[in-house]
Amino acid sequence: MTEEIRILMCAPTHYDVDYVINPWMEGNIHKSSRDRAAEQWEGLYKILKEHAIVDLVEPQKGWPDMVFTANAGVVLGNVAVVSRFYHKERQGEEPYFKQWFEEQGFQVYELPKDLPFEGAGDALLDRDGRWLWAGYGFRSELDSHAYLAKWLDIEVVSLQLVDDRFYHLDTCFCPLTGGYLLYYPPAFDFYSNRIIEMRVPMEKRIAIGEADAVKFACNAVNIGNKVIMNKVSNDLKQRLAKVGFEAIETTLSEFIKAGGAAKCLTLRTTEPVQVEVHANTPVESRVIRLEGHLLDSGLINRALDAIVEGGGSFQVLSFELGEQRQSTSKAEVKVSAPGYGIMEEILSRLINLGAVDLPADQRDAKLEPVLMAGVAPDDFYVTTIYPTEVRVDGQWVRVQNQRMDGAIAITRTPDGPVARCKLLRDLALGEDVVVDVQGLRTVRKPEARDAKQEFSFMSGSVSSERRVELVVEQVAWELRQIRDRGGKVVVTAGPVAIHTGGGEHLASLIRDGYVQALLGGNAIAVHDMEQAMMGTSLGVDMKRGVAVRGGHRHHLKVINTIRRCGNIAAAVEKGVITKGIFYECVKNNVPFSLAGSIRDDGPLPDTQMDLIKAQTEYARLLEGAEMILMLSSMLHSIGVGNMTPAGVKMVCVDINPAVVTKLSDRGSVESIGVVTDVGLFLSMLVKHLELLTEPYKLPTQV
């Protein structure tokens, strides 16, 4: 027996599964045998008494989970921090555990009542006493870690749990003597796994599989080289033995029905203080403000989900509900994260939702100079599609040329600071670049609480289950509205539009004034003109649907012919091209841009093989667009999407649902995906436009 080690337990006198507060309890209410539970608890008790002094706290009727003393609190030296249970079913245990700690002479600390923390279930000391591993995500809040660091005077390392079966840290994580660690990696998020890997050398990490994890292999008691645990696999026992540990098994199946095993049933109350170790917690906290129709639009839920999914935690400090149906609501939320990098990522996502990082009216954006042309400072803010404002010299400045995946460059002029969204390659010496997320806000239209919308693009979804014809009808209606008010529609299309028979319908849209710019690649132009000149596309007869002899050479003959003419416009003027998409573009003065790629044949003289110049031309033609039709060209459509600011309606059409989802999911609510054959879509679109009987009048030339 090692007298220096003391362990607290509680007899299972009143133990039963009386309720469900974790996945293990589901289906097990009142199915635990009290006799078997007593027998199994006694077995663990006897084993522990051989290696430590075991103290007992008196069980209390009505609190069946008091047997799990690991959740009484956490102890270091003569300091005990008692638990604040998340679920009301266990909150009645708190005064009994507090009384026991006080009677033993501990200096007792209590967290605020609204701040959950569940003791050594979520707070495990490194066995060398270097730091305290602290879990959060299901039962304990991240904000509790700052209190632990202060009161225990030790560095706290925060780990986020992501699998609700392992709702406490001690169910999937067991620090062992000598710096070893027994743990189940899938129970943690990516960031937490990286922290574990940085703190614990690979040769000392004992990662287990799911089969052992669900037997609560990590919910073990470590005393010296002994690891006392529930029944586990022979392979795990051999791995432990290989690094000097002896696994002592004891069956605890009755307690697993409630979600606990050996470690849950114990609390180590003699944890020596390392005098050279002191408090240090990287937990960052910021307060953000949200305003809008927070409930009806789901904005508040999306914001809180973004915090949790990003690895943080939150506390709603205030919520002011709009008094009238049209009134907006306001909320202030405290955001906590286990480090600066995580906090910055969370705040970036929240800013995209329209949140303001407080006190925004008192903090300018952080700026750093461009030291090398075409290279941004480290930690530069990456722009999104949403209209953005940046606070410079005490004033909010709207960012010009808004687009995705750029940097914000600041230049100072006699009229004040100017902010522009620029690609990295365009950054110039003498400019400053916004870094961090301080002093930034997005300007978003209030998301309406009224379900009735003028146009259903606001659904921001993919129409794989709804009737495609209904969506086409809506698109046709919007196209007609844009055309009649002199607006701008841009089409980006791939060669599939030709292969599926959609070429003639797209040509009709251009001829009738529904398209103001066309973006694509070398292939759509080649195959459109192949169809116009030879009646084939990729060598397939478009009327009969069969390959023609020598058809595989048709596209090369077309390229050669256009190159002889000089360009597409010249071929039209010479009568070489007499119909088709690009014929209509030339005849109706609709500008087009073709971006080349490494796989292009030819290419056509009009194809821009300098991709930087092609991107610039694309961006120029997209200026002022109200709607973009993306027709079966994922490569070009993704590029277009990245160049397009929020507020532009987007229709993504492809037969592949994965492509449609990727193109539609840009964070914009003003997009819709249509999973269908693009030729069929264009045919239906033209028919619906023909049903709109109001005559279209060409503007009078002045």
Side-chain angles (χ1 to χ4, degrees):
M1 179 177 70
T2 307
E3 293 189 3
E4 298 91 312
I5 297 176
R6 303 185 77 99
I7 290 174
L8 178 66
M9 296 183 71
C10 179
T13 308
H14 305 294
Y15 169 71
D16 197 358
V17 182
D18 284 351
Y19 40 74
V20 175
I21 58 173
N22 67 55
W24 304 94
M25 290 178 159
E26 293 179 5
N28 282 320
I29 290 182
H30 303 312
K31 290 185 179 180
S32 178
S33 167
R34 187 163 294 174
D35 291 339
R36 266 198 310 273
E39 180 183 341
Q40 292 176 3
W41 183 91
E42 190 68 28
L44 175 64
Y45 174 73
K46 289 180 178 179
I47 293 171
L48 292 173
K49 286 197 67 173
E50 296 176 4
H51 305 283
I53 297 173
V54 179
D55 296 310
L56 298 176
V57 61
E58 188 70 23
Q60 300 295 325
K61 189 174 182 180
W63 307 110
D65 279 350
M66 201 169 165
V67 68
F68 297 118
T69 53
N71 306 127
V74 63
V75 172
L76 181 59
N78 70 332
V79 175
V81 180
V82 295
S83 292
R84 288 290 191 192
F85 287 99
Y86 180 84
H87 291 289
K88 67 180 185 301
E89 288 86 351
R90 297 200 64 183
Q91 290 169 0
E93 302 171 28
E94 294 172 12
Y96 300 109
F97 286 130
K98 178 185 176 183
Q99 180 183 351
W100 187 89
F101 285 127
E102 289 176 338
E103 289 174 352
Q104 306 306 309
F106 286 99
Q107 183 178 357
V108 175
Y109 289 95
E110 294 180 275
L111 287 106
K113 288 185 177 297
D114 58 352
L115 184 58
F117 164 68
E118 300 207 347
D122 273 328
L124 302 173
L125 279 159
D126 166 68
R127 293 311 331 145
D128 289 339
R130 296 168 293 178
W131 53 74
L132 180 74
W133 300 100
Y136 70 100
F138 294 110
R139 296 295 186 81
S140 298
E141 283 290 339
L142 181 60
D143 283 341
S144 67
H145 297 180
Y147 289 92
L148 299 180
K150 176 183 177 181
W151 292 334
L152 300 177
D153 193 21
I154 192 171
E155 179 182 6
V156 175
V157 180
S158 302
L159 303 175
Q160 185 183 22
L161 301 167
V162 295
D163 186 331
D164 64 355
R165 295 175 300 173
F166 306 101
Y167 56 93
H168 278 148
L169 183 63
D170 67 0
T171 63
C172 53
F173 192 90
C174 182
L176 301 174
T177 302
Y180 285 90
L181 175 66
L182 181 69
Y183 77 122
Y184 179 54
F188 302 91
D189 71 345
F190 174 82
Y191 180 76
S192 297
N193 272 302
R194 288 289 297 129
I195 291 176
I196 293 168
E197 291 166 5
M198 288 188 291
R199 295 267 176 164
V200 184
M202 182 174 62
E203 64 273 13
K204 292 195 172 185
R205 297 196 302 267
I206 307 171
I208 68 171
E210 185 175 21
D212 279 317
V214 296
K215 293 179 181 177
F216 279 61
C218 294
N219 197 241
V221 179
N222 174 222
I223 302 176
N225 72 330
K226 313 294 183 185
V227 183
I228 303 155
M229 59 209 313
N230 184 52
K231 299 292 184 181
V232 294
S233 67
N234 290 330
D235 175 69
L236 179 54
K237 286 186 286 186
Q238 291 170 6
R239 291 173 64 196
L240 288 168
K242 189 175 180 180
V243 292
F245 291 99
E246 177 188 354
I248 301 176
E249 294 179 292
T250 182
T251 301
L252 295 167
S253 58
E254 294 305 307
F255 297 100
I256 289 178
K257 294 176 181 178
K263 169 63 176 60
C264 288
L265 293 165
T266 64
L267 174 66
R268 188 161 172 164
T269 58
T270 49
E271 295 285 10
V273 176
Q274 302 292 329
V275 294
E276 70 279 7
V277 174
H278 296 287
N280 175 29
T281 175
V283 174
E284 297 246 346
S285 294
R286 302 273 272 272
V287 176
I288 59 104
R289 182 179 65 227
L290 288 163
E291 184 172 356
H293 296 293
L294 303 182
L295 294 179
D296 290 10
S297 70
L299 183 60
I300 187 68
N301 289 337
R302 298 206 303 275
L304 300 183
D305 286 345
I307 295 169
V308 174
E309 291 167 4
S313 66
F314 64 84
Q315 179 183 5
V316 179
L317 301 178
S318 66
F319 190 94
E320 182 180 330
L321 187 63
E323 296 181 359
Q324 302 294 328
R325 185 171 181 270
Q326 70 277 11
S327 302
T328 58
S329 301
K330 299 177 182 179
E332 288 191 3
V333 181
K334 179 183 178 183
V335 182
S336 298
Y340 174 80
I342 297 295
M343 176 61 79
E344 185 178 32
E345 179 64 28
I346 291 172
L347 287 179
S348 294
R349 297 173 67 179
L350 293 174
I351 287 172
N352 293 344
L353 292 173
V356 178
D357 179 18
L358 296 178
D361 56 345
Q362 301 172 11
R363 306 198 305 175
D364 281 353
K366 295 181 181 179
L367 305 177
E368 291 187 12
V370 175
L371 301 178
M372 180 185 296
V375 180
D378 291 340
D379 300 323
F380 70 94
Y381 174 75
V382 179
T383 58
T384 69
I385 62 175
Y386 298 112
T388 303
E389 292 183 348
V390 55
R391 192 175 187 274
V392 183
D393 299 337
Q395 60 180 309
W396 287 103
V397 180
R398 176 66 69 93
V399 177
Q400 301 175 16
N401 306 324
Q402 190 70 43
R403 59 157 292 158
M404 183 183 288
D405 295 339
I408 299 176
I410 306 296
T411 54
R412 286 175 168 80
T413 71
D415 297 326
V418 175
R420 293 186 179 89
C421 183
K422 303 183 75 172
L423 296 174
L424 295 181
R425 64 172 181 255
D426 296 328
L427 293 174
L429 293 172
E431 294 177 324
D432 289 324
V433 172
V434 175
V435 297
D436 203 328
V437 293
Q438 178 178 303
L440 287 168
R441 67 186 184 189
T442 56
V443 182
R444 302 185 67 176
K445 295 182 296 184
E447 298 193 35
R449 65 197 304 166
D450 192 345
K452 293 183 179 178
Q453 298 288 344
E454 180 185 27
F455 187 63
S456 68
F457 276 96
M458 300 303 292
S459 62
S461 59
V462 175
S463 65
S464 56
E465 297 180 0
R466 70 179 73 181
R467 288 173 52 225
V468 171
E469 186 173 356
L470 177 60
V471 179
V472 173
E473 182 180 352
Q474 295 169 330
V475 173
W477 181 86
E478 182 73 5
L479 278 175
R480 186 58 180 265
Q481 295 294 313
I482 294 174
R483 187 189 70 171
D484 289 355
R485 65 173 176 261
K488 184 175 183 179
V489 174
V490 178
V491 172
T492 176
V496 175
I498 311 300
H499 306 330
T500 57
E504 62 179 295
H505 306 300
L506 181 52
S508 173
L509 293 176
I510 296 169
R511 181 170 57 252
D512 293 339
Y514 290 108
V515 178
Q516 282 67 51
L518 176 65
L519 309 175
N522 190 68
I524 185 174
V526 169
H527 294 297
D528 169 61
M529 291 183 290
E530 176 191 347
Q531 182 182 5
M533 294 170 62
M534 299 182 173
T536 62
S537 178
L538 275 179
V540 175
D541 188 307
M542 294 301 293
K543 292 183 177 179
R544 296 184 297 139
V546 296
V548 301
R549 182 175 299 177
H552 64 284
R553 294 190 293 267
H554 284 187
H555 71 288
L556 293 173
K557 291 181 179 180
V558 169
I559 293 170
N560 194 52
T561 299
I562 302 304
R563 291 179 69 87
R564 181 181 294 114
C565 292
N567 57 35
I568 294 174
V572 171
E573 294 305 319
K574 292 177 181 180
V576 175
I577 305 297
T578 59
K579 61 180 179 179
I581 296 170
F582 287 84
Y583 171 84
E584 298 296 346
C585 283
V586 173
K587 287 298 185 181
N588 292 280
N589 297 314
V590 173
F592 60 85
S593 179
L594 305 177
S597 71
I598 196 171
R599 66 188 181 188
D600 288 339
D601 289 323
L604 292 167
D606 302 80
T607 301
Q608 178 56 260
M609 298 304 291
D610 185 328
L611 292 184
I612 293 178
K613 291 181 179 178
Q615 285 184 339
T616 301
E617 184 65 12
Y618 266 41
R620 184 183 68 82
L621 292 178
L622 285 166
E623 291 178 2
E626 296 180 50
M627 178 190 287
I628 300 173
L629 298 181
M630 298 175 167
L631 307 176
S632 290
S633 179
M634 182 172 72
L635 179 66
H636 297 96
S637 296
I638 290 174
V640 167
N642 289 345
M643 299 176 190
T644 306
V648 179
K649 298 179 175 69
M650 301 174 64
V651 184
C652 311
V653 184
D654 201 288
I655 197 66
N656 186 340
V659 172
V660 172
T661 299
K662 184 176 182 67
L663 294 176
S664 299
D665 188 16
R666 304 172 58 248
S668 172
V669 296
E670 297 179 328
S671 65
I672 192 168
V674 185
V675 180
T676 190
D677 177 274
V678 68
L680 175 63
F681 173 84
L682 287 169
S683 172
M684 295 171 64
L685 182 58
V686 169
K687 289 179 180 178
H688 277 289
L689 285 168
E690 291 172 351
L691 295 175
L692 299 175
T693 57
E694 182 180 349
Y696 172 63
K697 297 179 181 179
L698 289 170
T700 304
Q701 297 293 329
V702 179

